[in-house]
Amino acid sequence: MTTATEHDALLAVAHIAERISGANFVDGAWRPAASKESITVFDPSTGAELGEVAASTADDVDAAVAAARRAQPAWAAVTPGERSRLLLKVATAVEESLIELSQIEAVDAGKPLQVVLDEELPGVLDGMRFFAGAARSLPAPASGDYLEGVSSVMRREPLGVIGGITPWNYPILQAVAKVFPALATGNTVVLKPAETTPYSTARLAEIIGQHLPAGVFNVVFGTGPVTGDALSRHPDIAAVSFTGSIETGRKVGAAAADGIKKAILELGGNAPVIVFDDADLEPALDAITLGGLYNTGQECMAASRILVHRSIVESFIDGLRARVEREKVGGVLDPETTVGPMNSATQRDRVLAKIEKRSAGSRIVTGGTAIEGPGYLLAPTIIADVEKDEELVTEEIFGPVFTVQTFDTEDEAMELANGTRYGLAASVFTSNVGRSQRVQNGLNFGTVWVNNHLVFAADLPVSGFGASGVGTENAELGLLEFTRLKHVMIDNR
Ligand code: NAD
């Protein structure tokens, strides 16, 4: 029997699923897609069908980009203050729909409802308000007379139409991280959400549509290879902002380069977590458990690759195991659940295949298997004694899995941590101030936490070093990504 909460949440998804079936959000309304093909969307907690969305073609992308292009000059002409006021109205409307949006996101993406309500959506709202305000005071070199007889004026302008492509692990958060800085700086947007998680973006589009001019924000549903590809190589897109895997990022970057367009790429990670013997172990274990299991480990910055000083490794593993085994894995509408399902059967099987391929000398401390359904459940897993060059260590796992390696010296810890193509995030746990300074200086990662992991604010930049990406999201730099600087020189003699 379903509870009232379950009933409400499933109803919220059913309603949006019905409204958007076979359609795209173009020019301020749901409009039938030219494509008659569709993608079936499943509930990760039960495996049940939630609905179908259009598998849009290049013609559908054309229609959305054309709408965004028509709307862009007028939107760019709106003053920053007025754009900010309108975006803040959107944020207020999102706040008023917080429960409904959280229900949609929880069910569709497979996230415990309470976590979405208490943490993710408040973070999304804060991001909206940050971008809306910060775009009113963008930096530029000072205008002035740098040569005799001429005056120089700097103009910071929008790029034009932005193509956005988002992944399934944080559908609404990633949508806002692209859409709000782009809109706040005077661009218009066409966004393609991931195949398995269309619904929160769809609801966001409806809310935006009630407050912003038609065509300013458009959504096309579809597959990566067809819809995403058509968007990233569309001639009328000025830039593409993509979050997803390295492999897809390479394709999106190549498509953009083909048209001499900017690509902002936020790609995968494989965060090392260095735990020294002088770390305050109990709070470190709490932070690492949360950092590794948040969003069922489907997190590009997840605390997955643990490097522990040899002298404390057994007590570390015991403490991690105790915490991991306390977690309650289950459906997202069960209030007891702390770790939700994997987003899709494909993702669960991908992670299981990686665990299966582990080196002969490694040992599973806990977990390592799927949990009997319904839903795509995977037991939180700790694998110790892994090799530094095996796939579980060198590649992103993207599931609730910790690997544990040991080190003897600070230099060895740094070498193991930096021994990866990824450069998104890392953390170090130590009570020695000098050591924390030395280690964070030497780490090749865009975000380094000291005595913490997985803490964010929209005011602070996220940049992938190495193969983890190009460009910045969040913070002032994230807004500047969607602008260009024009120098106007005026002869004043
Ligand atoms: P993915 O690369 O398969 O898909 C991401 C998006 O790209 C989806 O919308 C997909 O439809 C689209 N896509 C697929 N092929 C495409 C193509 N040829 N052209 C254009 N678009 C295409 O990744 P995923 O499995 O959906 O997401 C997980 C990945 O995202 C992980 O590697 C994770 O680390 C990464 N991620 C990174 C960040 C970050 O900020 N760096 C945040 C979240 C997720």
Side-chain angles (χ1 to χ4, degrees):
M1 210 181 82
T2 54
T3 64
T5 314
E6 285 170 336
H7 179 260
D8 284 358
L10 294 172
L11 207 60
V13 179
H15 282 154
I16 187 74
E18 195 183 330
R19 289 200 291 280
I20 73 170
S21 180
N24 287 316
F25 194 80
V26 176
D27 225 355
W30 293 114
R31 302 188 192 275
S35 166
K36 296 297 161 235
E37 304 283 304
S38 61
I39 300 169
T40 306
V41 185
F42 295 96
D43 180 340
S45 295
T46 63
E49 217 174 293
L50 290 173
E52 297 206 331
V53 290
S56 304
T57 61
D59 287 344
D60 292 311
V61 173
D62 264 350
V65 173
R69 200 171 172 212
R70 283 193 301 275
Q72 203 268 329
W75 180 243
V78 174
T79 61
E82 178 63 7
R83 280 202 299 264
S84 168
R85 193 184 67 79
L86 292 169
L87 289 168
L88 289 171
K89 276 176 78 175
V90 173
T92 302
V94 164
E95 196 163 27
E96 284 161 5
S97 303
L98 202 70
I99 293 179
E100 180 202 359
L101 259 168
S102 299
Q103 289 167 331
I104 292 170
E105 186 74 329
V107 171
D108 190 19
K111 298 164 183 279
L113 176 59
Q114 208 55 45
V115 176
V116 182
L117 264 171
D118 293 346
E119 292 170 34
E120 266 187 56
L121 263 290
V124 165
L125 272 173
D126 188 57
M128 289 177 162
R129 292 181 168 131
F130 169 77
F131 292 124
R136 298 183 68 177
S137 58
L138 297 178
S143 295
D145 301 345
Y146 291 90
L147 293 171
E148 270 189 38
V150 290
S151 298
S152 287
V153 174
M154 311 296 164
R155 291 177 57 84
R156 193 166 278 289
E157 300 180 341
L159 295 177
V161 178
I162 307 297
I165 300 175
T166 48
W168 45 260
N169 59 342
Y170 292 103
I172 193 163
L173 190 143
Q174 283 293 327
V176 166
K178 297 184 185 321
V179 174
F180 263 62
L183 295 184
T185 46
N187 303 276
T188 55
V189 177
V190 177
L191 188 86
K192 189 205 88 66
E195 292 84 332
T196 58
T197 51
Y199 296 128
S200 58
T201 306
R203 187 68 191 102
L204 178 70
E206 291 184 339
I207 294 173
I208 290 180
Q210 283 163 2
H211 297 279
L212 303 190
V216 164
F217 180 51
N218 309 273
V219 178
V220 281
F221 301 105
T223 66
V226 176
T227 322
D229 184 66
L231 186 57
S232 39
R233 62 178 70 253
H234 198 287
D236 292 334
I237 292 279
V240 58
S241 175
F242 168 83
T243 299
S245 61
I246 291 181
E247 292 63 35
T248 308
R250 192 174 284 125
K251 291 181 194 158
V252 170
D258 211 32
I260 320 290
K261 276 176 245 166
K262 179 171 185 172
I264 304 153
L265 306 173
E266 296 293 334
L267 309 177
N270 185 12
V273 177
I274 308 176
V275 187
F276 285 101
D277 50 352
D278 57 20
D280 193 353
L281 205 53
E282 294 299 311
L285 281 162
D286 289 342
I288 293 167
T289 308
L290 184 65
L293 297 184
Y294 192 83
N295 209 28
T296 319
Q298 300 166 117
E299 156 63 62
C300 46
M301 294 184 165
S304 53
R305 189 160 62 96
I306 319 291
L307 310 170
V308 191
H309 192 270
R310 192 178 303 280
S311 65
I312 57 162
V313 69
E314 287 314 321
S315 49
F316 178 87
I317 289 175
D318 288 348
L320 190 62
R321 176 187 192 149
R323 283 165 174 77
V324 161
E325 289 181 349
R326 275 204 295 271
E327 300 288 342
K328 168 89 171 58
V329 184
V332 300
L333 301 177
D334 179 345
E336 305 264 288
T337 295
T338 56
V339 175
M342 301 295 289
N343 177 256
S344 62
T346 311
Q347 188 58 23
R348 179 198 56 196
D349 295 345
R350 244 188 236 168
V351 174
L352 283 170
K354 285 181 189 172
I355 295 173
E356 192 66 28
K357 275 204 285 179
R358 71 187 184 278
S359 61
S362 65
R363 80 189 144 97
I364 294 189
V365 175
T366 186
T369 53
I371 296 176
E372 198 68 20
Y376 316 129
L377 306 182
L378 188 58
T381 300
I382 304 172
I383 307 178
D385 304 331
V386 288
E387 309 274 349
K388 70 173 184 196
D389 51 6
E390 69 175 278
E391 193 187 321
L392 273 175
V393 174
T394 58
E395 292 301 313
E396 180 176 50
I397 302 175
F398 229 58
V401 180
F402 300 91
T403 60
V404 182
Q405 292 167 269
T406 53
F407 65 85
D408 291 301
T409 64
E410 193 176 304
D411 283 349
E412 191 189 356
M414 296 284 285
E415 199 181 310
L416 288 170
N418 281 332
T420 172
R421 64 177 174 154
Y422 299 100
L424 193 57
S427 60
V428 49
F429 290 83
T430 176
S431 54
N432 178 326
V433 175
R435 169 176 277 159
S436 89
Q437 190 63 34
R438 282 194 302 278
V439 173
Q440 55 95 351
N441 278 348
L443 287 171
N444 296 324
F445 298 85
T447 298
V448 178
W449 290 283
V450 177
N451 293 330
N452 220 327
H453 199 103
L454 221 58
V455 183
F456 305 99
D459 329 39
L460 303 170
V462 172
S463 313
F465 293 178
S468 288
V470 179
T472 298
E473 266 188 350
N474 288 353
E476 184 182 86
L477 275 175
L479 283 153
L480 296 184
E481 293 282 11
F482 296 103
T483 68
R484 61 187 187 189
L485 193 62
K486 183 181 282 174
H487 167 213
V488 182
M489 188 179 264
I490 306 156
D491 196 314
N492 58 20
R493 281 168 296 192

